[in-house]
Amino acid sequence: MKNYRVHPVHYPFRITAFHSAYDFSWDDTFRFLGESHDFWEFVCVLDGEVEVVEDEKVYSLYGGDMICHGPNEFHRICSAGGSHPHVLVLTFNHEGELPPRLWEDVFFLSPEEKTEYYEIFKRVYAAFHGVNTDPYAEAEAAYALAAFLVRLAAHKPASRPPLRASRSAEMYQELIETMKAGVAENYSLNDLAKRHAISVSAVKKLFRDYAGIGAMSYYAMLRGQEALRLLTNGKSIEETAEMLNFSSVNYFSLCFKKQFGAPPARYLRERKK
């Protein structure tokens, strides 16, 4: 009998669960307040125009544009340009590592790619919403999506739309960069306003317009994400609270629970299960 050489197949990532699959048609007044979550989200604009805020970046996306929000990345979306956009939103968990370009770039899909992605999305939608209960069809949809994303990241040039050039968008970006650089400084609203030589009301308006949440809520979210990073990397609860300049360990635990739904110790235990 002939001896056949075995070559194991390596899967860099595998889609393990879908959290949502939405096919939206919005009017020209739609505005979604921002959020962040610990799973991936892909947004594909089929028609119309939307404004997308991704952390400190502000984009205008049009029909054919596709953007990825990575875990714990703040994002917001609203209708723009007086259009009635048609948007697909898909969220999922995975094992392994997705191609970094999916997180770093915005892609413009050709008409053929847009059609292909829409067909994959409809299969995921049918499985997620119980329209198709065939487990093989569900698995096929997950594998088809994974293959599409690999091809997108490996072979397609990025088409990153320019940031909005308005001064307000630039100031919003500068404020978030200050927050990120000073995530351990425990800034107040007055501190941020003074550092950028603008009024407190101007800071509030920028975050209301671009983030849909208050400046201090956004800063607290960044501090919570940094706390989670420190804890995951082995820092104790006490060390983390001190490094981020919380007034006490108890206050740190309360803030952490407000953001993540459980105190630090319990959250980390449940995450390991």
Side-chain angles (χ1 to χ4, degrees):
M1 176 181 286
K2 181 178 179 179
N3 292 324
Y4 290 92
R5 187 169 72 91
V6 176
H7 178 79
V9 177
H10 173 63
Y11 292 91
F13 76 94
R14 183 172 68 91
I15 294 173
T16 58
F18 292 105
H19 286 270
S20 65
Y22 294 118
D23 186 338
F24 291 118
S25 292
W26 293 321
D27 64 25
D28 58 359
T29 64
F30 176 80
R31 182 181 179 87
F32 173 73
L33 300 182
E35 67 173 359
S36 65
H37 39 63
D38 61 357
F39 44 84
W40 290 79
E41 177 172 318
F42 281 90
V43 176
C44 180
V45 183
L46 295 182
D47 293 294
E49 178 185 354
V50 298
E51 179 184 82
V52 171
V53 174
E54 187 179 76
D55 282 342
E56 74 276 13
K57 301 178 287 292
V58 183
Y59 298 106
S60 291
L61 301 185
Y62 304 89
D65 284 333
M66 186 174 187
I67 191 169
C68 168
H69 305 307
N72 298 316
E73 190 172 57
F74 177 84
H75 51 277
R76 180 192 64 78
I77 189 169
C78 65
S79 299
S83 67
H84 290 64
H86 184 188
V87 179
L88 307 178
V89 178
L90 188 62
T91 62
F92 62 88
N93 276 350
H94 74 288
E95 293 176 348
E97 183 177 352
L98 267 69
R101 282 193 62 212
L102 292 178
W103 198 343
E104 298 166 356
D105 293 328
V106 174
F107 298 92
F108 178 76
L109 306 183
S110 69
E112 294 77 18
E113 289 168 329
K114 191 166 65 170
T115 298
E116 179 186 0
Y117 181 75
Y118 198 13
E119 290 302 315
I120 294 171
F121 175 89
K122 285 190 287 188
R123 296 204 294 275
V124 173
Y125 183 97
F128 183 83
H129 292 277
V131 178
N132 189 338
T133 58
D134 180 355
Y136 291 99
E138 181 176 302
E140 188 275 337
Y143 279 115
L145 175 62
F148 181 86
L149 297 178
V150 168
R151 282 188 282 113
L152 194 70
H155 304 299
K156 188 168 181 63
S159 178
R160 181 177 287 279
L163 298 178
R164 284 194 179 273
S166 69
R167 179 54 188 152
S168 63
E170 292 174 356
M171 179 57 70
Y172 172 75
Q173 181 176 357
E174 291 169 11
L175 282 163
I176 293 184
E177 288 172 351
T178 296
M179 289 178 173
K180 287 184 174 180
V183 71
E185 299 298 328
N186 202 7
Y187 289 136
S188 68
L189 199 56
N190 283 328
D191 293 333
L192 292 169
K194 287 179 181 178
R195 287 181 69 89
H196 291 272
I198 59 176
S199 67
V200 167
S201 61
V203 175
K204 291 180 178 179
K205 185 177 188 304
L206 285 167
F207 277 84
R208 184 171 66 248
D209 290 347
Y210 288 108
I213 61 175
M216 289 297 95
S217 295
Y218 193 101
Y219 188 44
M221 179 187 69
L222 292 178
R223 284 166 58 77
Q225 290 172 359
E226 177 63 10
L228 182 57
R229 187 189 71 80
L230 292 171
L231 291 167
T232 303
N233 289 339
K235 296 296 182 183
S236 69
I237 296 172
E238 292 76 13
E239 288 173 324
T240 301
E242 182 178 354
M243 291 175 70
L244 293 177
N245 285 308
F246 280 89
S247 57
S248 70
V249 173
N250 285 340
Y251 181 60
F252 166 64
S253 295
L254 286 172
C255 292
F256 189 95
K257 181 179 180 180
K258 182 179 179 181
Q259 181 167 342
F260 295 103
R266 194 175 86 198
Y267 182 89
L268 293 174
R269 282 197 307 270
E270 293 177 352
R271 198 178 188 190
K272 290 178 181 178
K273 292 179 180 179

